[in-house]
């Protein structure tokens, strides 16, 4: 696991096609918390091999600031995975934080990647464990095995839902993945969101929602972000700079929430350490250890979003 990237924010996770020099050049100018250079589905099969060198060049020579830097490689059921990993991890240097694995179906998929990464790290002068793993759950089999997948390796940093491939895998009668289906009475992905979230949290991972494909529909994106944000997700993919702005806002606490969280921490500390009480009144509500745990999450998220406590 790369300690540096494990705790960095991933409110917005920007997808950049690895075969496009134009998009690669533009990537660093977009204010996303995490950026992944893609070798998988946004790259045509005939461009896949050439895209590897473009991605390595972009990681080494562009200034990506302090964002989490990731490359999505092709899935194990293709012919490209080992070549992607050896070329990209072997040549990118330590600015590369992690590899994203699409269509993960079982713990063994992650374990195989972990073993391959260890050998490449040893041969290329990287600290063993430097490269983290993001695992995408986007097939029926992957969802069934999500609990063992989340526990498969110390390198895992996030678990990510892939709504488009998942809709295809489930044979849902939709032609656009990751958007609302008005005919369905509720959220057709509610079970999926919750199952992935529980498995991720049980293993200390960040949990990320995938793309919203209707790029121009920013109000609907906002609505959709609020669903997973309310459940507890850390962030969502972005396919366009306008999406990044909406996503960064929704996955950050407000100043009011941030200040209240700090006030709860202070009141709870006073109660437990000075007054030796485990539960006390805070305004009109009772707070206890569970309140402290909730408050800590708001504070760490707020700090990651650059908030400072109001004076
Ligand atoms: C992302 O990879 C998706 O399939 O939604
Ligand atoms: Mg996918």
């Amino acid at each position: 696991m790369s300690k540096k990237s494990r705790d960095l924010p991933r409110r917005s996770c920007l997808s950049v096609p690895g075969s496009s020099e134009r998009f690669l050049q533009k990537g660093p100018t977009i204010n996303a918390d995490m950026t992944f250079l893609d070798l998988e589905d946004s790259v045509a099969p005939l461009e896949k091999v050439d895209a590897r060198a473009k991605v390595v060049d972009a990681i080494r020579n562009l200034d990506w600031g302090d964002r989490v830097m990731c490359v999505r490689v092709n899935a194990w059921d293709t012919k490209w995975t080992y070549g992607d990993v050896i070329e990209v991890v072997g040549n990118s240097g330590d600015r590369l934080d992690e590899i994203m694995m699409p269509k993960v179906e079982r713990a063994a998929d992650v374990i195989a990647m972990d073993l391959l990464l260890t050998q490449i790290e040893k041969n290329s002068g990287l600290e063993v464990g430097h490269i983290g793993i993001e695992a995408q759950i986007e097939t029926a089999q992957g969802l069934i095995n999500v609990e063992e997948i989340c526990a498969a390796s110390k390198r895992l940093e996030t678990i990510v839902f892939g709504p488009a491939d998942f809709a295809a895998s489930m044979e849902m009668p939709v032609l656009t993945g990751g958007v609302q289906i008005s005919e369905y009475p509720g959220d057709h992905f509610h079970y999926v969101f919750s199952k992935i979230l529980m498995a991720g949290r049980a293993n200390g991972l960040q949990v990320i929602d995938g793309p919203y494909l209707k790029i121009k529909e920013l109000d609907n994106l906002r609505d959709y972000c609020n669903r997973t944000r309310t459940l507890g997700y850390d962030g969502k993919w972005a396919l366009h700079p306008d999406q990044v702005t909406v996503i960064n806002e929704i996955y950050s606490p407000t100043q009011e929430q941030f200040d209240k969280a700090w006030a709860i921490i202070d009141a709870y500390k006073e109660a437990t350490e000075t007054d030796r009480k485990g539960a006390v009144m805070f305004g009109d509500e009772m707070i206890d250890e569970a309140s402290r745990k909730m408050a800590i999450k708001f504070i760490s998220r707020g700090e990651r979003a650059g908030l400072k406590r109001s004076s």
Side-chain angles (χ1 to χ4, degrees):
M1 180 222 332
S2 159
K3 285 200 194 69
K4 182 175 94 56
S5 58
R6 164 65 69 96
D7 292 323
L8 288 175
R10 286 175 180 76
R11 293 167 303 173
S12 48
C13 305
L14 178 71
S15 168
V16 177
S19 53
S20 163
E21 268 143 15
R22 186 167 74 86
F23 283 124
L24 287 167
Q25 288 292 333
K26 198 164 177 224
T29 67
I30 301 171
N31 185 25
D33 290 338
M34 176 272 206
T35 298
F36 68 94
L37 312 184
D38 192 21
L39 296 175
E40 203 224 11
D41 282 357
S42 69
V43 175
L46 293 176
E47 290 292 324
K48 293 226 187 243
V49 170
D50 287 353
R52 294 171 184 157
K54 294 183 186 171
V55 160
V56 169
D57 183 60
I59 293 170
R60 294 194 76 96
N61 297 316
L62 301 177
D63 181 2
W64 297 94
D66 61 0
R67 74 186 67 205
V68 179
M69 205 62 228
C70 180
V71 172
R72 179 166 72 164
V73 298
N74 288 282
W76 282 124
D77 64 352
T78 69
K79 62 181 179 182
W80 295 293
T81 321
Y82 77 93
D84 288 348
V85 182
I86 292 169
E87 184 163 343
V88 170
V89 178
N91 297 311
S92 292
D94 62 6
R95 184 59 189 88
L96 178 65
D97 295 308
E98 46 177 30
I99 287 293
M100 186 188 299
M101 300 178 62
K103 301 178 182 70
V104 176
E105 301 222 305
R106 56 193 71 77
D109 294 353
V110 178
I111 294 166
M113 180 63 73
D114 186 332
L115 293 170
L116 178 58
L117 286 170
T118 301
Q119 293 199 357
I120 301 168
E121 286 166 340
K122 284 181 179 164
N123 283 314
S124 55
L126 292 168
E127 191 186 333
V128 171
H130 174 80
I131 301 289
I133 295 177
E134 301 219 359
Q136 280 189 280
I137 298 297
E138 43 184 358
T139 62
Q141 192 66 60
L143 189 66
I144 288 171
N145 292 331
V146 65
E147 291 165 24
E148 63 167 53
I149 290 168
C150 285
S153 165
K154 284 201 166 52
R155 291 183 191 267
L156 279 163
E157 302 198 3
T158 70
I159 189 83
V160 183
F161 178 47
D165 271 305
F166 189 76
S169 168
M170 294 292 278
E171 301 183 27
M172 287 179 171
V174 290
L175 289 172
T176 310
V179 298
Q180 295 93 326
I181 298 180
S182 51
E183 294 79 18
Y184 188 77
D187 185 338
H188 61 297
F189 281 147
H190 179 74
Y191 169 74
V192 183
F193 285 145
S194 298
K195 183 164 167 136
I196 293 175
L197 179 64
M198 273 187 277
R201 289 290 182 245
N203 290 282
L205 306 184
Q206 291 200 41
V207 185
I208 309 294
D209 185 20
Y212 189 83
L213 300 171
K214 298 215 168 187
I215 289 168
K216 298 214 164 116
E217 293 186 358
L218 293 179
D219 284 343
N220 289 338
L221 168 69
R222 185 174 287 277
D223 175 53
Y224 220 76
C225 289
N226 271 320
R227 296 178 188 213
T228 51
R229 173 72 190 97
T230 303
L231 287 174
Y233 275 56
D234 295 284
K236 184 167 173 66
W237 280 19
L239 305 175
H240 186 276
D242 292 345
Q243 289 194 329
V244 170
T245 310
V246 171
I247 292 169
N248 281 350
E249 179 199 319
I250 295 194
Y251 290 91
S252 304
T254 62
Q255 184 69 47
E256 193 183 345
Q257 290 168 327
F258 187 72
D259 288 338
K260 181 174 175 186
W262 267 117
I264 289 173
I265 295 291
D266 286 350
Y268 182 72
K269 187 170 163 49
E270 170 90 11
T272 49
E273 292 179 14
T274 309
D275 305 337
R276 295 173 166 244
K277 286 185 184 156
V280 281
M281 288 306 286
F282 175 82
D284 58 0
E285 61 186 289
M286 181 73 87
I287 59 165
D288 64 8
E289 173 59 20
S291 318
R292 188 193 64 82
K293 288 201 177 93
M294 289 188 280
I296 285 289
K297 293 290 170 196
F298 275 92
I299 290 171
S300 58
R301 278 205 166 119
E303 284 176 346
R304 283 193 271 164
L307 291 182
K308 301 247 176 323
R309 193 174 181 182
S310 305
S311 47

